[in-house]
């Protein structure tokens, strides 16, 4: 365990389903991130939250909807996904506002069928 | 545009030394990270370089040359558990992390 916990670890969903990914950190970090990791591609930053406020949305389709109820929890709500959305979704946290490393969760392996 | 280049895959022998290179073109520079990611697991922090030179940490070392836009990760006395992907990432002038696609390192007995 890295201090950042993601559930579920694996998810298979149909294109008409609605599901949510959950991320939790108890490191006292102020910033939380959602990344998409596809095979042989760089990590793609999706959303950034600083002190529960969304500070970045990297042109992510509206079928992905983030929610950050407090500094320790982050959700990614999924709706009407496409097969090309199949990937590993990683959550990370950091102290924020500093040049420092991120702590990542183990990710959710998402397959859209 | 901003770009990080690193080899897709490398193979090395247990007990040997391997060097994984990373070149970058970014708008500004505020540090370079190396992360290790085992299959199905979280990326974990290995090293951070912001000044030129070599940083040594046990069997792993990381080198940076800002003038050349170049870094490498050196792994010595390779062990089977070092089989993983190694991710290079650069923090640009806006403190955004720009990631490479990762280098898959395969260690053979």
């Amino acid at each position: 365990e890295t201090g950042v916990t993601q559930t579920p670890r694996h998810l298979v969903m149909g294109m008409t389903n609605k599901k949510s990914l959950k991320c939790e950190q108890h490191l006292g970090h102020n910033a939380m991130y959602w990344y998409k990791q596809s095979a042989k591609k760089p990590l793609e930053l999706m959303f950034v939250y600083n002190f529960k406020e969304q500070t970045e949305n990297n042109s992510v389709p509206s079928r992905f909807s983030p929610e950050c109820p407090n500094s320790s929890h982050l959700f990614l709500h999924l709706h009407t996904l496409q097969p090309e959305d199949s990937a590993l979704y990683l959550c990370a946290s950091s102290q924020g506002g500093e040049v420092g490393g991120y702590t990542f969760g183990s990710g959710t392996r998402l397959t859209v069928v | 545009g901003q770009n990080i280049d690193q080899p897709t895959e490398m193979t090395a022998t247990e007990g040997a030394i391997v060097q994984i290179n990373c070149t970058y073109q970014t708008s500004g520079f505020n540090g370079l990270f190396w992360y290790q990611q085992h299959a199905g697991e979280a990326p974990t922090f290995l090293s951070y370089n912001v000044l030129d030179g070599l940083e040594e940490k046990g069997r792993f070392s990381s080198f940076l040359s800002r003038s050349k836009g170049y870094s490498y990760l050196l792994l010595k006395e390779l062990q089977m558990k070092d089989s993983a992907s190694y991710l290079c990432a650069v923090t640009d002038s806006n403190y955004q992390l720009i990631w490479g696609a990762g280098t898959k390192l395969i260690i053979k007995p």
Side-chain angles (χ1 to χ4, degrees):
Chain A
E1 281 298 331
T2 64
V4 178
T5 304
Q6 287 188 244
T7 54
R9 290 295 304 270
H10 301 273
L11 178 62
V12 179
M13 59 186 289
M15 289 189 282
T16 58
N17 292 158
K18 288 184 181 180
K19 297 286 184 182
S20 295
L21 310 185
K22 180 181 176 182
C23 177
E24 187 173 351
Q25 61 94 4
H26 296 289
L27 301 170
H29 288 169
N30 299 317
M32 296 187 77
Y33 311 81
W34 279 117
Y35 276 94
K36 177 182 179 182
Q37 188 175 35
S38 303
K40 300 184 179 180
K41 289 185 178 179
L43 285 172
E44 298 173 47
L45 179 64
M46 299 175 72
F47 301 105
V48 181
Y49 279 82
N50 276 291
F51 294 96
K52 304 187 302 177
E53 298 297 320
Q54 184 176 308
T55 56
E56 189 148 349
N57 174 341
N58 267 2
S59 302
V60 180
S62 59
R63 58 186 183 268
F64 295 92
S65 173
E67 178 190 0
C68 188
N70 54 61
S71 295
S72 298
H73 294 85
L74 185 65
F75 295 90
L76 187 63
H77 304 300
L78 315 172
H79 175 52
T80 322
L81 295 191
Q82 305 297 312
E84 59 265 29
D85 296 323
S86 298
L88 181 68
Y89 288 84
L90 290 165
C91 173
S93 70
S94 74
Q95 283 293 87
E98 58 152 353
V99 182
Y102 290 6
T103 302
F104 283 89
S106 298
T108 295
R109 173 67 62 185
L110 174 67
T111 304
V112 181
V113 297
Chain B
Q2 308 205 87
N3 194 49
I4 309 284
D5 285 315
Q6 49 181 134
T8 303
E9 187 173 297
M10 299 181 71
T11 303
T13 304
E14 189 177 16
I17 298 174
V18 72
Q19 177 175 311
I20 303 174
N21 295 325
C22 171
T23 58
Y24 62 90
Q25 300 89 39
T26 57
S27 54
F29 178 85
N30 278 303
L32 184 144
F33 293 87
W34 283 97
Y35 279 79
Q36 179 191 60
Q37 185 179 22
H38 286 100
E41 296 184 15
T44 55
F45 171 82
L46 285 179
S47 67
Y48 172 67
N49 294 67
V50 66
L51 299 176
D52 290 350
L54 187 68
E55 296 277 345
E56 298 187 73
K57 193 183 293 185
R59 293 189 298 114
F60 292 9
S61 303
S62 57
F63 171 83
L64 174 67
S65 169
R66 287 171 296 171
S67 62
K68 295 181 179 178
Y70 167 70
S71 172
Y72 67 72
L73 181 69
L74 190 72
L75 292 75
K76 302 177 184 176
E77 301 169 18
L78 286 170
Q79 301 175 10
M80 298 303 293
K81 67 178 182 179
D82 297 329
S83 292
S85 288
Y86 292 85
L87 310 178
C88 175
V90 171
T91 308
D92 69 9
S93 57
N94 294 319
Y95 293 94
Q96 301 287 341
L97 258 185
I98 312 300
W99 293 86
T103 298
K104 182 178 181 181
L105 178 63
I106 300 168
I107 309 297
K108 295 186 175 180

